[in-house]
Amino acid sequence: DIQMTQSPSSLSASVGDRVTITCRASQSISTYLIWYQQKPGKAPKLLIYAASNLQSGVPSRFSGSGSGTDFTLTISSLQPEDFATYCCQQSYSLPWTFGQGTKVDIK
Amino acid sequence: QVQLQESGPGLVKPSQTLSLTCTVSGGSVSSGGYYWSWIRQPAGKGLEWIGRVYPSGSTNYNPSLNSRVTISVDTSKNQFSLKLSFLTAADTAVYYCARVTETTFSDWFDPWGQGTLVTVSS
């Protein structure tokens, strides 16, 4: 199985901050990388697919980059509604696997 | 707009079999370019992919659960289902169903059902 490792596991930030979350795959996955946002008690919400493609309706302050083994999710200016847990997922080879999540909370 | 809704028991005894159904509305399980998946999340932990079913009925499962899992699709009812046997406390989790878009450059889960909590306890 491909292991997905996120860092940090949690971070504290203020509204307006630029936030960067990293996801590393245990082997090259090209750009088969997806990012989700999950709020407590809710299902994950798709943010970005194929490493850098913004899902329709997702604010442009979210962006993704990377290829191979190293990927980044960036929130350019953190908004109150962005406090949540973010996780990555690879769709390069079965079984699909997820990162453990990065919790973004209020500083 | 496609919506998914999980249904099934919230409490199951150890060694028994869990049966969950996902009902799809606003779209068809037979639609091309998609397949259907189950994912679970133990409390405070990460997401685990359980398996997938295509409209044709073809399936793939996570090897960690392979011998205990069966996923099927019922196109007449616009539903797909999960059966997980020989349950233990480690199977306690929120279970989600999701539609998966399949492309040559990525597969992604969207939308998801709201999730249903399954507790394994005697």
Side-chain angles (χ1 to χ4, degrees):
Chain A
D1 299 3
I2 296 176
Q3 306 303 314
M4 306 300 293
T5 303
Q6 289 182 232
S7 61
S9 56
S10 65
L11 67 90
S12 296
S14 301
V15 173
D17 284 353
R18 181 181 182 88
V19 170
T20 299
I21 298 168
T22 297
C23 178
R24 175 165 290 174
S26 60
Q27 66 182 74
S28 177
I29 58 170
S30 183
T31 57
Y32 289 75
L33 192 283
I34 302 93
W35 288 100
Y36 301 92
Q37 176 193 67
Q38 188 175 26
K39 295 184 177 179
K42 300 293 187 181
K45 172 189 172 184
L46 174 68
L47 296 177
I48 289 169
Y49 59 91
S52 61
N53 292 268
L54 197 67
Q55 169 70 351
S56 176
V58 174
S60 59
R61 63 181 179 273
F62 291 92
S63 64
S65 64
S67 66
T69 60
D70 294 318
F71 301 87
T72 298
L73 173 70
T74 300
I75 309 172
S76 60
S77 178
L78 197 65
Q79 298 302 299
E81 60 268 31
D82 300 337
F83 292 97
T85 297
Y86 294 85
C87 73
C88 58
Q89 174 230 328
Q90 64 82 19
S91 64
Y92 183 78
S93 69
L94 292 176
W96 305 149
T97 48
F98 295 84
Q100 81 279 14
T102 295
K103 184 177 181 181
V104 177
D105 62 22
I106 301 172
K107 193 171 189 178
Chain B
Q1 182 176 351
V2 174
Q3 294 184 309
L4 290 77
Q5 178 68 57
E6 305 89 351
S7 58
L11 179 64
V12 189
K13 289 181 168 50
S15 80
Q16 290 189 340
T17 295
L18 170 67
S19 294
L20 294 177
T21 296
C22 183
T23 300
V24 178
S25 58
S28 171
V29 293
S30 299
S31 296
Y34 304 107
Y35 57 84
W36 308 88
S37 268
W38 289 96
I39 306 100
R40 70 180 183 178
Q41 185 172 36
K45 296 188 177 181
L47 296 156
E48 179 182 32
W49 178 74
I50 297 171
R52 68 180 178 185
V53 62
Y54 284 86
S56 64
S58 175
T59 56
N60 297 95
Y61 303 129
N62 192 323
S64 68
L65 301 168
N66 194 44
S67 60
R68 300 195 291 132
V69 176
T70 302
I71 298 175
S72 58
V73 63
D74 187 334
T75 56
S76 67
K77 294 182 178 179
N78 219 30
Q79 296 175 334
F80 62 105
S81 299
L82 167 70
K83 291 188 186 300
L84 182 64
S85 60
F86 303 108
L87 293 173
T88 71
D91 295 310
T92 294
V94 175
Y95 285 73
Y96 296 101
C97 59
R99 184 185 71 173
V100 187
T101 300
E102 182 178 43
T103 72
T104 57
F105 51 89
S106 196
D107 290 16
W108 58 86
F109 299 94
D110 180 66
W112 298 59
Q114 65 183 25
T116 187
L117 174 62
V118 175
T119 301
V120 180
S121 175
S122 56

